[in-house]
Amino acid sequence: MHMDELLHRIYYLKSYKGYPCLVSCIQKVKEDESRLCGIREQVYGPVAREHGVKLENLEKNLRTIRDTFQNRGGTELLERQLGGKQESLYPRELIEALAECVTDL
């Protein structure tokens, strides 16, 4: 699915502070999946600087987004797209799964 389509499907996250950061995290992971191994330094840090937020606040905002995503049926979206059971995702896992859903940038 295209990035625009994915973002359209998770429209309910747009009102959260962390939404632009989530989108940037997905883009960084799509550019280079190896960044997942050092997500704090290679994804969260650069995204926090890019958006002018503290690293700790970015991580908190991503946890809030993750919670809302799970509470609003987002895991079912991932299960349809990726197969398998998606439960209790860490923010890193959510970013990884959403990046996996995106076929283009």
Side-chain angles (χ1 to χ4, degrees), residues 61-98:
N61 291 341
L62 290 175
R63 287 191 299 272
T64 300
I65 289 241
R66 180 265 329 261
D67 294 346
T68 302
F69 180 82
Q70 290 183 178
N71 291 335
R72 297 284 305 267
T75 51
E76 289 82 11
L77 166 71
L78 294 179
E79 288 171 1
R80 283 192 305 274
Q81 288 299 123
L82 303 175
K85 191 77 173 148
Q86 304 289 325
E87 297 179 21
S88 301
L89 299 169
Y90 288 100
R92 178 195 59 79
E93 295 168 333
L94 173 62
I95 292 164
E96 180 179 6
L98 292 173

Side-chain angles (χ1 to χ4, degrees), residues 27-66:
Q27 290 170 332
K28 290 213 178 292
V29 168
K30 277 307 285 183
E31 291 167 3
D32 183 358
E33 286 184 352
S34 70
R35 291 176 174 159
L36 287 166
C37 294
I39 197 157
R40 198 160 200 264
E41 297 80 21
Q42 296 180 30
V43 177
Y44 294 169
V47 168
R49 286 189 296 279
E50 178 183 319
H51 290 274
V53 298
K54 291 182 179 180
L55 181 59
E56 295 78 14
N57 290 343
L58 174 113
E59 291 173 321
K60 178 182 74 71
N61 291 341
L62 290 175
R63 287 191 299 272
T64 300
I65 289 241
R66 180 265 329 261

